[in-house]
């Protein structure tokens, strides 16, 4: 069974700090990696994707991928209370037409 | 506005009474999928469709049916719902199924 693991949290950070969210996956053949944000009572929305080893930056968000360690992370700089949500890591296994989602990490940014 | 529309948003039903949850997208996406979301288990794929008349099972297909007669619509059918199908259901679409999904607003189903 292909798996994606995340710490459920909550991860609590003060406003303005860097939030670091982590994810590990089991399928070495995975090629594509995604971060979705889900506010309470809402549907998931895509915020970042990454295909290659290294870092990818988009505004305050940086996705990091290390395929050798089977590890994906999301950094949120200058965290704001509006960033408080559950962050879902998702992996597309090689050869499969689906995403495998982690159970999500709840982030709480306090003023 | 580009969107995925699910109906109904909330549904309470009784065991064994057939129901359909509708899903429609206006983005001309090839790929559509149904997920259920349960606490601690995350999102699990039920069925997906790569194109009209092309559907396949996901990880938890038992007790569900789907059809894709038109590109825009992908209904989820529960022929005989049971309490273990109580969950939050999401429809999602993507241009070619590469993982960049647009999700519908969700349907919270309770089977008593």
């Amino acid at each position: 069974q292909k798996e994606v693991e995340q710490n459920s949290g909550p991860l609590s950070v003060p406003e303005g700090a860097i939030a670091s969210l982590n994810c590990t996956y089991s399928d070495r053949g995975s090629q594509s990696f995604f971060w979705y944000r889900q506010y309470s009572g809402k549907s998931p929305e895509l915020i970042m994707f990454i295909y290659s080893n290294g870092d990818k930056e988009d505004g305050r968000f940086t996705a990091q991928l290390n395929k050798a360690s089977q590890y994906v992370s999301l950094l949120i700089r200058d965290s704001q209370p509006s960033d408080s949500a559950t962050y879902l890591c998702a992996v597309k296994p090689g050869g499969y037409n689906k995403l495998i989602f982690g159970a999500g990490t709840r982030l709480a940014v306090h003023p | 506005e580009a969107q995925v529309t699910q109906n109904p948003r909330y549904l309470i039903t009784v065991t064994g009474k057939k129901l359909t949850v509708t899903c429609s997208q206006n983005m001309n996406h090839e790929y559509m999928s149904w997920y259920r979301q349960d606490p601690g288990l995350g999102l699990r794929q039920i069925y997906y469709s790569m194109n009209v008349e092309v559907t396949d099972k996901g990880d938890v297909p038992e007790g569900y049916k789907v059809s894709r007669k038109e590109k825009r619509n992908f209904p989820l059918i529960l022929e005989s719902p049971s309490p273990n199908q109580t969950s939050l259901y999401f429809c999602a679409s993507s241009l070619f199924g590469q993982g960049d999904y647009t999700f519908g607003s969700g349907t919270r189903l309770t089977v008593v």
Side-chain angles (χ1 to χ4, degrees):
Chain A
Q1 175 72 4
K2 304 182 191 307
E3 293 181 347
V4 176
E5 301 285 344
Q6 296 181 256
N7 187 317
S8 61
L11 174 65
S12 182
V13 301
E15 184 173 356
I18 296 176
S20 177
L21 303 157
N22 305 312
C23 170
T24 59
Y25 60 95
S26 62
D27 179 23
R28 283 198 170 274
S30 298
Q31 297 295 319
S32 311
F33 307 86
F34 303 82
W35 284 99
Y36 283 79
R37 178 176 62 200
Q38 186 175 23
Y39 291 113
S40 180
K42 301 294 186 183
S43 56
E45 56 179 332
L46 179 66
I47 54 173
M48 289 282 295
F49 61 86
I50 186 167
Y51 300 144
S52 305
N53 275 330
D55 295 0
K56 179 182 179 183
E57 187 173 319
D58 183 1
R60 295 187 296 112
F61 298 96
T62 299
Q64 299 176 316
L65 174 61
N66 183 326
K67 287 186 177 180
S69 301
Q70 296 175 241
Y71 181 89
V72 193
S73 65
L74 179 70
L75 302 178
I76 306 175
R77 288 183 300 283
D78 188 24
S79 295
Q80 301 297 309
S82 59
D83 294 325
S84 299
T86 297
Y87 289 81
L88 307 174
C89 174
V91 174
K92 188 173 186 296
Y96 287 83
N97 292 311
K98 66 180 178 183
L99 287 185
I100 307 290
F101 284 85
T105 298
R106 188 158 64 90
L107 173 66
V109 181
H110 53 87
Chain B
E1 181 189 353
Q3 59 185 358
V4 177
T5 303
Q6 280 181 242
N7 281 297
R9 289 292 308 276
Y10 301 92
L11 180 59
I12 300 175
T13 191
V14 296
T15 299
K17 185 176 181 181
K18 181 179 179 179
L19 66 92
T20 299
V21 184
T22 64
C23 175
S24 181
Q25 51 94 4
N26 63 0
M27 296 166 281
N28 203 35
H29 283 172
E30 302 282 331
Y31 181 93
M32 298 184 74
S33 183
W34 277 101
Y35 281 82
R36 60 178 288 175
Q37 187 174 36
D38 301 289
L41 297 178
L43 287 156
R44 293 179 292 165
Q45 192 183 50
I46 302 170
Y47 270 94
Y48 68 93
S49 169
M50 295 297 294
N51 210 327
V52 175
E53 303 292 2
V54 180
T55 64
D56 206 349
K57 297 177 181 178
D59 294 318
V60 288
E62 296 77 21
Y64 305 95
K65 284 177 58 177
V66 293
S67 67
R68 187 97 180 269
K69 293 182 169 49
E70 305 165 281
K71 197 172 191 177
R72 63 184 293 123
N73 295 324
F74 190 45
L76 179 69
I77 303 157
L78 286 73
E79 296 256 346
S80 183
S82 62
N84 65 10
Q85 293 178 297
T86 292
S87 187
L88 179 58
Y89 291 86
F90 287 105
C91 180
S93 75
S94 166
L95 186 55
F96 296 121
Q98 296 305 306
D100 50 342
Y101 292 175
T102 299
F103 280 86
S105 300
T107 296
R108 185 166 294 282
L109 172 66
T110 302
V111 184
V112 297

